[in-house]
């Protein structure tokens, strides 16, 4: 089966994403006004977004990664497991935390809380996608590339069961693809 035929609809082309990311990078660059910043990318979903975004930001950046998984406990609460923590010290630094998508808000909110305990000078959040309809906890990202509706998207780093991260565009998965994996 052709991998691409699992996609029902392409929402954002590589060119759309590239243009939007350039705009976002400009905004970030202006807001930080020459300050040093530590970029913290939440793995795995944000690795492509992060690597494209940072190349458009003309600031003295340091990059670190954190890898987390969340496990549902009952129907609503989620406990966050840190698979890989930071390898640098963020004390007294400006931190920009990057994730692929904010859905329920649990991941970004909890990672932000964990990092806040390390006393950064400031901490802001940036996501490629915001799915407002999925929110279960109060969490607003400071920088959002796109708001998306209530559907499951893949590509450009976003996965379904670890697949489709390597698609250069973002699209909606066919229902048949969801059931066959
Ligand atoms: P949250 O903790 O519910 O906000 O979910 C954030 C995580 O859920 C993201 O980092 C993604 O891994 C995953 N996720 C949520 N919605 C989607 C989607 O539409 N496509 C792919 N992954 C998603
Ligand atoms: Mg995921």
């Amino acid at each position: 089966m052709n991998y691409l035929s699992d996609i029902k609809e392409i929402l954002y082309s590589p060119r759309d994403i590239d243009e939007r990311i350039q705009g976002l990078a400009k905004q970030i660059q202006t807001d930080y006004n020459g300050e040093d910043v530590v970029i913290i990318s939440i793995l795995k979903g944000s690795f492509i977004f992060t690597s494209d975004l940072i190349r458009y930001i003309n600031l003295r950046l340091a990059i670190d990664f954190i890898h987390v998984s969340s496990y549902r406990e009952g129907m609503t609460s989620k406990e966050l497991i840190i698979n890989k923590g930071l390898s640098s010290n963020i004390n007294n630094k400006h931190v920009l935390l990057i994730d692929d998508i904010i859905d329920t808000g649990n991941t970004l909110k909890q990672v932000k809380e964990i990092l806040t305990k390390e006393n950064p000078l400031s901490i802001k959040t940036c996501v490629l996608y915001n799915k407002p309809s999925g929110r279960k906890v109060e969490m607003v990202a400071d920088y959002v590339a796109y708001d998306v509706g209530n559907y499951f998207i893949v590509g450009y780093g976003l996965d379904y069961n670890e697949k489709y991260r390597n698609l250069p565009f973002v699209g909606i998965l066919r229902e048949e693809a969801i059931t066959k994996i």
Side-chain angles (χ1 to χ4, degrees):
M1 248 317 241
N2 182 352
Y3 200 36
L4 295 182
S5 64
D6 290 346
I7 304 301
K8 181 162 67 183
E9 185 188 339
I10 294 178
L11 292 180
Y12 304 95
S13 70
R15 195 176 164 168
D16 293 334
I17 298 169
D18 185 57
E19 280 177 8
R20 181 65 191 105
I21 284 180
Q22 287 191 47
L24 202 61
K26 208 174 207 176
Q27 193 189 339
I28 291 168
Q29 192 177 304
T30 305
D31 290 354
Y32 281 98
N33 193 25
E35 297 280 350
D36 290 3
V37 177
V38 181
I39 298 283
I40 298 180
S41 170
I42 304 180
L43 296 171
K44 302 173 195 171
S46 73
F47 80 111
I48 295 178
F49 171 44
T50 302
S51 56
D52 282 347
L53 180 75
I54 59 175
R55 281 178 285 177
Y56 288 122
I57 302 176
N58 183 12
L59 289 171
R60 202 180 295 272
L61 301 181
I63 320 290
D64 206 344
F65 298 92
I66 186 168
H67 184 202
V68 299
S69 321
S70 52
Y71 291 98
R72 267 176 212 284
E73 282 190 332
M75 292 302 286
T76 50
S77 69
K78 272 187 172 182
E79 192 196 342
L80 204 75
I81 310 289
I82 301 177
N83 302 315
K84 181 219 164 287
L86 296 184
S87 51
S88 52
N89 187 348
I90 57 166
N91 178 266
N92 222 21
K93 306 267 177 64
H94 291 294
V95 167
L96 181 61
L97 182 60
I98 302 187
D99 206 357
D100 53 355
I101 183 164
I102 174 170
D103 181 17
T104 64
N106 277 310
T107 307
L108 204 55
K109 190 183 169 104
Q110 289 186 62
V111 173
K112 188 178 176 187
E113 281 168 5
I114 290 164
L115 298 185
T116 300
K117 290 187 187 136
E118 307 209 10
N119 297 315
L121 197 55
S122 70
I123 182 160
K124 287 209 231 177
T125 53
C126 172
V127 293
L128 182 60
Y129 292 106
N130 174 38
K131 215 189 261 185
S133 57
R135 207 69 93 253
K136 294 220 171 86
V137 295
E138 207 173 303
M139 181 68 205
V140 179
D142 298 290
Y143 300 98
V144 173
Y146 300 103
D147 283 331
V148 280
N150 189 21
Y151 30 72
F152 199 81
I153 55 176
V154 294
Y156 197 72
L158 288 96
D159 74 307
Y160 173 65
N161 276 355
E162 295 299 328
K163 307 288 188 328
Y164 309 104
R165 294 193 197 276
N166 60 317
L167 295 176
F169 52 80
V170 170
I172 303 176
L173 207 55
R174 279 188 201 285
E175 285 76 20
E176 303 91 283
I178 293 176
T179 48
K180 84 181 181 194
I181 296 170

